[in-house]
mmCIF file of all heavy atoms in Angstrom:
data_model
loop_
_atom_site.group_PDB
_atom_site.id
_atom_site.type_symbol
_atom_site.label_atom_id
_atom_site.label_comp_id
_atom_site.label_asym_id
_atom_site.label_seq_id
_atom_site.Cartn_x
_atom_site.Cartn_y
_atom_site.Cartn_z
ATOM 1 N N GLU C 1 155.560 87.694 43.903
ATOM 2 C CA GLU C 1 156.443 88.501 43.065
ATOM 3 C C GLU C 1 157.208 89.507 44.023
ATOM 4 O O GLU C 1 158.446 89.816 43.684
ATOM 5 C CB GLU C 1 155.587 89.288 42.053
ATOM 6 C CG GLU C 1 155.034 88.464 41.002
ATOM 7 C CD GLU C 1 153.792 87.648 41.365
ATOM 8 O OE1 GLU C 1 153.324 87.793 42.586
ATOM 9 O OE2 GLU C 1 153.314 86.839 40.525
ATOM 10 N N ILE C 2 156.564 90.069 44.935
ATOM 11 C CA ILE C 2 157.273 90.985 45.893
ATOM 12 C C ILE C 2 158.450 90.255 46.620
ATOM 13 O O ILE C 2 159.507 90.768 46.760
ATOM 14 C CB ILE C 2 156.221 91.668 46.912
ATOM 15 C CG1 ILE C 2 155.213 92.439 46.197
ATOM 16 C CG2 ILE C 2 156.960 92.508 47.876
ATOM 17 C CD1 ILE C 2 154.061 92.960 46.993
ATOM 18 N N TYR C 3 158.112 89.069 47.173
ATOM 19 C CA TYR C 3 159.163 88.318 47.840
ATOM 20 C C TYR C 3 160.312 87.899 46.842
ATOM 21 O O TYR C 3 161.372 87.854 47.280
ATOM 22 C CB TYR C 3 158.510 87.062 48.469
ATOM 23 C CG TYR C 3 159.474 86.476 49.520
ATOM 24 C CD1 TYR C 3 159.970 87.170 50.533
ATOM 25 C CD2 TYR C 3 159.845 85.114 49.355
ATOM 26 C CE1 TYR C 3 160.778 86.531 51.533
ATOM 27 C CE2 TYR C 3 160.713 84.525 50.264
ATOM 28 C CZ TYR C 3 161.132 85.224 51.313
ATOM 29 O OH TYR C 3 162.077 84.668 52.242
ATOM 30 N N GLY C 4 159.919 87.607 45.658
ATOM 31 C CA GLY C 4 160.927 87.326 44.686
ATOM 32 C C GLY C 4 161.895 88.512 44.487
ATOM 33 O O GLY C 4 163.108 88.343 44.292
ATOM 34 N N PHE C 5 161.279 89.776 44.494
ATOM 35 C CA PHE C 5 162.097 90.886 44.398
ATOM 36 C C PHE C 5 163.032 91.068 45.644
ATOM 37 O O PHE C 5 164.188 91.441 45.526
ATOM 38 C CB PHE C 5 161.217 92.143 44.330
ATOM 39 C CG PHE C 5 161.959 93.459 44.273
ATOM 40 C CD1 PHE C 5 162.583 93.946 43.159
ATOM 41 C CD2 PHE C 5 161.934 94.257 45.436
ATOM 42 C CE1 PHE C 5 163.284 95.233 43.178
ATOM 43 C CE2 PHE C 5 162.618 95.466 45.454
ATOM 44 C CZ PHE C 5 163.269 95.940 44.289
ATOM 45 N N LEU C 6 162.533 90.681 46.820
ATOM 46 C CA LEU C 6 163.324 90.907 47.996
ATOM 47 C C LEU C 6 164.435 89.867 48.114
ATOM 48 O O LEU C 6 165.528 90.098 48.766
ATOM 49 C CB LEU C 6 162.408 90.760 49.192
ATOM 50 C CG LEU C 6 161.329 91.898 49.454
ATOM 51 C CD1 LEU C 6 160.508 91.626 50.613
ATOM 52 C CD2 LEU C 6 162.001 93.221 49.535
ATOM 53 N N VAL C 7 164.224 88.656 47.518
ATOM 54 C CA VAL C 7 165.264 87.617 47.612
ATOM 55 C C VAL C 7 166.331 87.729 46.464
ATOM 56 O O VAL C 7 167.238 86.989 46.416
ATOM 57 C CB VAL C 7 164.630 86.252 47.548
ATOM 58 C CG1 VAL C 7 163.792 85.969 48.753
ATOM 59 C CG2 VAL C 7 163.930 85.937 46.299
ATOM 60 N N HIS C 8 166.113 88.694 45.609
ATOM 61 C CA HIS C 8 167.046 88.869 44.544
ATOM 62 C C HIS C 8 168.522 89.077 45.046
ATOM 63 O O HIS C 8 169.431 88.559 44.457
ATOM 64 C CB HIS C 8 166.605 90.015 43.529
ATOM 65 C CG HIS C 8 167.566 90.229 42.386
ATOM 66 N ND1 HIS C 8 167.673 89.408 41.358
ATOM 67 C CD2 HIS C 8 168.449 91.226 42.185
ATOM 68 C CE1 HIS C 8 168.587 89.797 40.548
ATOM 69 N NE2 HIS C 8 169.109 90.960 41.010
ATOM 70 N N PRO C 9 168.679 89.974 46.015
ATOM 71 C CA PRO C 9 170.097 90.077 46.513
ATOM 72 C C PRO C 9 170.680 88.757 47.049
ATOM 73 O O PRO C 9 171.887 88.546 46.930
ATOM 74 C CB PRO C 9 169.977 91.117 47.684
ATOM 75 C CG PRO C 9 168.711 91.859 47.332
ATOM 76 C CD PRO C 9 167.814 90.875 46.736
ATOM 77 N N LEU C 10 169.823 87.918 47.531
ATOM 78 C CA LEU C 10 170.359 86.676 48.081
ATOM 79 C C LEU C 10 170.800 85.752 46.850
ATOM 80 O O LEU C 10 171.866 85.104 46.874
ATOM 81 C CB LEU C 10 169.193 85.934 48.889
ATOM 82 C CG LEU C 10 169.590 84.584 49.546
ATOM 83 C CD1 LEU C 10 170.678 84.882 50.619
ATOM 84 C CD2 LEU C 10 168.324 83.956 50.101
ATOM 85 N N ALA C 11 170.041 85.801 45.745
ATOM 86 C CA ALA C 11 170.406 85.003 44.573
ATOM 87 C C ALA C 11 171.670 85.594 43.975
ATOM 88 O O ALA C 11 172.510 84.886 43.462
ATOM 89 C CB ALA C 11 169.243 85.036 43.594
ATOM 90 N N ALA C 12 171.689 86.896 43.992
ATOM 91 C CA ALA C 12 172.888 87.595 43.414
ATOM 92 C C ALA C 12 174.202 87.288 44.155
ATOM 93 O O ALA C 12 175.308 87.242 43.659
ATOM 94 C CB ALA C 12 172.719 89.115 43.333
ATOM 95 N N ALA C 13 173.984 86.973 45.511
ATOM 96 C CA ALA C 13 175.116 86.581 46.336
ATOM 97 C C ALA C 13 175.477 85.146 46.199
ATOM 98 O O ALA C 13 176.495 84.612 46.847
ATOM 99 C CB ALA C 13 174.842 86.909 47.839
ATOM 100 N N GLY C 14 174.882 84.388 45.343
ATOM 101 C CA GLY C 14 175.115 82.998 45.028
ATOM 102 C C GLY C 14 174.324 82.039 45.824
ATOM 103 O O GLY C 14 174.620 80.798 45.675
ATOM 104 N N GLN C 15 173.351 82.405 46.593
ATOM 105 C CA GLN C 15 172.478 81.431 47.325
ATOM 106 C C GLN C 15 171.202 81.268 46.586
ATOM 107 O O GLN C 15 170.365 82.147 46.469
ATOM 108 C CB GLN C 15 172.222 81.996 48.715
ATOM 109 C CG GLN C 15 171.539 81.071 49.632
ATOM 110 C CD GLN C 15 172.357 79.908 50.108
ATOM 111 O OE1 GLN C 15 173.542 80.085 50.257
ATOM 112 N NE2 GLN C 15 171.776 78.807 50.291
ATOM 113 N N ASN C 16 170.976 80.135 45.990
ATOM 114 C CA ASN C 16 169.833 79.778 45.210
ATOM 115 C C ASN C 16 168.832 78.968 45.797
ATOM 116 O O ASN C 16 167.930 78.403 45.178
ATOM 117 C CB ASN C 16 170.262 79.179 43.815
ATOM 118 C CG ASN C 16 170.990 77.889 44.045
ATOM 119 O OD1 ASN C 16 171.161 77.417 45.178
ATOM 120 N ND2 ASN C 16 171.516 77.320 42.912
ATOM 121 N N LYS C 17 168.905 78.773 47.152
ATOM 122 C CA LYS C 17 167.892 77.999 47.842
ATOM 123 C C LYS C 17 167.557 78.648 49.211
ATOM 124 O O LYS C 17 168.372 79.207 49.853
ATOM 125 C CB LYS C 17 168.544 76.610 48.222
ATOM 126 C CG LYS C 17 167.558 75.678 48.890
ATOM 127 C CD LYS C 17 168.223 74.357 49.203
ATOM 128 C CE LYS C 17 168.552 73.598 47.961
ATOM 129 N NZ LYS C 17 169.094 72.169 48.327
ATOM 130 N N ILE C 18 166.267 78.615 49.403
ATOM 131 C CA ILE C 18 165.712 79.202 50.660
ATOM 132 C C ILE C 18 164.673 78.244 51.221
ATOM 133 O O ILE C 18 163.910 77.596 50.391
ATOM 134 C CB ILE C 18 165.162 80.568 50.488
ATOM 135 C CG1 ILE C 18 164.892 81.301 51.834
ATOM 136 C CG2 ILE C 18 163.846 80.536 49.711
ATOM 137 C CD1 ILE C 18 164.692 82.797 51.650
ATOM 138 N N ILE C 19 164.633 77.990 52.530
ATOM 139 C CA ILE C 19 163.750 76.926 53.090
ATOM 140 C C ILE C 19 162.787 77.492 54.085
ATOM 141 O O ILE C 19 162.942 78.682 54.480
ATOM 142 C CB ILE C 19 164.530 75.872 53.785
ATOM 143 C CG1 ILE C 19 165.348 76.536 54.976
ATOM 144 C CG2 ILE C 19 165.572 75.339 52.832
ATOM 145 C CD1 ILE C 19 165.959 75.458 55.870
ATOM 146 N N PHE C 20 161.734 76.781 54.379
ATOM 147 C CA PHE C 20 160.887 77.092 55.598
ATOM 148 C C PHE C 20 160.757 75.779 56.350
ATOM 149 O O PHE C 20 160.671 74.713 55.885
ATOM 150 C CB PHE C 20 159.513 77.681 55.155
ATOM 151 C CG PHE C 20 158.734 76.771 54.319
ATOM 152 C CD1 PHE C 20 157.799 75.934 54.749
ATOM 153 C CD2 PHE C 20 158.778 76.832 52.859
ATOM 154 C CE1 PHE C 20 156.942 75.185 53.906
ATOM 155 C CE2 PHE C 20 158.129 76.092 52.057
ATOM 156 C CZ PHE C 20 157.086 75.233 52.591
ATOM 157 N N THR C 21 160.860 75.961 57.707
ATOM 158 C CA THR C 21 160.930 74.796 58.595
ATOM 159 C C THR C 21 159.562 74.413 59.255
ATOM 160 O O THR C 21 159.571 73.407 60.030
ATOM 161 C CB THR C 21 161.969 75.121 59.713
ATOM 162 O OG1 THR C 21 161.543 76.312 60.424
ATOM 163 C CG2 THR C 21 163.325 75.348 59.132
ATOM 164 N N GLN C 22 158.579 75.207 58.944
ATOM 165 C CA GLN C 22 157.227 74.808 59.496
ATOM 166 C C GLN C 22 156.265 74.789 58.381
ATOM 167 O O GLN C 22 156.393 75.487 57.373
ATOM 168 C CB GLN C 22 156.800 75.840 60.508
ATOM 169 C CG GLN C 22 157.682 75.875 61.752
ATOM 170 C CD GLN C 22 157.276 77.047 62.702
ATOM 171 O OE1 GLN C 22 156.731 78.060 62.207
ATOM 172 N NE2 GLN C 22 157.519 76.802 64.003
ATOM 173 N N ILE C 23 155.254 73.955 58.488
ATOM 174 C CA ILE C 23 154.193 73.650 57.512
ATOM 175 C C ILE C 23 153.596 75.009 57.032
ATOM 176 O O ILE C 23 153.468 75.226 55.848
ATOM 177 C CB ILE C 23 153.220 72.687 57.894
ATOM 178 C CG1 ILE C 23 153.793 71.329 58.204
ATOM 179 C CG2 ILE C 23 152.107 72.504 56.843
ATOM 180 C CD1 ILE C 23 154.494 70.680 57.042
ATOM 181 N N PHE C 24 153.275 75.876 57.987
ATOM 182 C CA PHE C 24 152.558 77.165 57.710
ATOM 183 C C PHE C 24 153.607 78.310 57.491
ATOM 184 O O PHE C 24 153.147 79.432 57.453
ATOM 185 C CB PHE C 24 151.620 77.522 58.794
ATOM 186 C CG PHE C 24 152.214 77.352 60.214
ATOM 187 C CD1 PHE C 24 152.968 78.244 60.764
ATOM 188 C CD2 PHE C 24 151.916 76.189 60.917
ATOM 189 C CE1 PHE C 24 153.517 78.089 62.038
ATOM 190 C CE2 PHE C 24 152.437 75.963 62.174
ATOM 191 C CZ PHE C 24 153.228 76.989 62.688
ATOM 192 N N GLY C 25 154.870 77.999 57.437
ATOM 193 C CA GLY C 25 155.837 79.029 57.358
ATOM 194 C C GLY C 25 155.792 79.889 56.112
ATOM 195 O O GLY C 25 155.795 81.142 56.120
ATOM 196 N N ALA C 26 155.564 79.241 54.911
ATOM 197 C CA ALA C 26 155.454 80.004 53.689
ATOM 198 C C ALA C 26 154.257 80.935 53.652
ATOM 199 O O ALA C 26 154.278 82.064 53.194
ATOM 200 C CB ALA C 26 155.372 79.000 52.521
ATOM 201 N N PHE C 27 153.168 80.454 54.282
ATOM 202 C CA PHE C 27 151.925 81.323 54.328
ATOM 203 C C PHE C 27 152.140 82.523 55.196
ATOM 204 O O PHE C 27 151.761 83.631 54.809
ATOM 205 C CB PHE C 27 150.770 80.427 54.856
ATOM 206 C CG PHE C 27 149.494 81.227 55.026
ATOM 207 C CD1 PHE C 27 148.775 81.675 53.971
ATOM 208 C CD2 PHE C 27 149.037 81.541 56.308
ATOM 209 C CE1 PHE C 27 147.647 82.436 54.145
ATOM 210 C CE2 PHE C 27 147.871 82.288 56.503
ATOM 211 C CZ PHE C 27 147.153 82.705 55.377
ATOM 212 N N PHE C 28 152.862 82.351 56.329
ATOM 213 C CA PHE C 28 153.039 83.458 57.163
ATOM 214 C C PHE C 28 154.068 84.484 56.532
ATOM 215 O O PHE C 28 153.887 85.684 56.666
ATOM 216 C CB PHE C 28 153.613 82.984 58.522
ATOM 217 C CG PHE C 28 152.613 82.493 59.525
ATOM 218 C CD1 PHE C 28 152.937 81.753 60.574
ATOM 219 C CD2 PHE C 28 151.235 82.813 59.285
ATOM 220 C CE1 PHE C 28 152.018 81.282 61.453
ATOM 221 C CE2 PHE C 28 150.318 82.438 60.219
ATOM 222 C CZ PHE C 28 150.720 81.575 61.258
ATOM 223 N N VAL C 29 154.915 83.906 55.762
ATOM 224 C CA VAL C 29 155.866 84.861 54.946
ATOM 225 C C VAL C 29 154.983 85.688 53.961
ATOM 226 O O VAL C 29 155.257 86.920 53.837
ATOM 227 C CB VAL C 29 156.906 84.021 54.241
ATOM 228 C CG1 VAL C 29 157.613 84.830 53.232
ATOM 229 C CG2 VAL C 29 157.945 83.416 55.203
ATOM 230 N N GLN C 30 154.069 85.104 53.289
ATOM 231 C CA GLN C 30 153.220 85.815 52.363
ATOM 232 C C GLN C 30 152.379 86.948 53.079
ATOM 233 O O GLN C 30 152.338 88.065 52.648
ATOM 234 C CB GLN C 30 152.280 84.915 51.646
ATOM 235 C CG GLN C 30 152.955 84.111 50.559
ATOM 236 C CD GLN C 30 151.927 83.334 49.725
ATOM 237 O OE1 GLN C 30 151.594 82.163 49.986
ATOM 238 N NE2 GLN C 30 151.387 84.008 48.701
#
């Protein structure tokens, strides 16, 4: 939920996709 709040400006700018390039990338982001 916190990360969703942080990516809101990105979505508002028209970018609706975000990726991670490593298997453990999403976990490290959390």
Side-chain angles (χ1 to χ4, degrees):
E1 289 78 6
I2 297 172
Y3 193 57
F5 176 77
L6 294 176
V7 298
H8 179 73
L10 186 65
Q15 186 71 31
N16 58 4
K17 182 184 293 185
I18 194 166
I19 65 171
F20 58 93
T21 57
Q22 296 176 331
I23 298 298
F24 45 80
F27 176 71
F28 280 163
V29 166
Q30 284 188 266

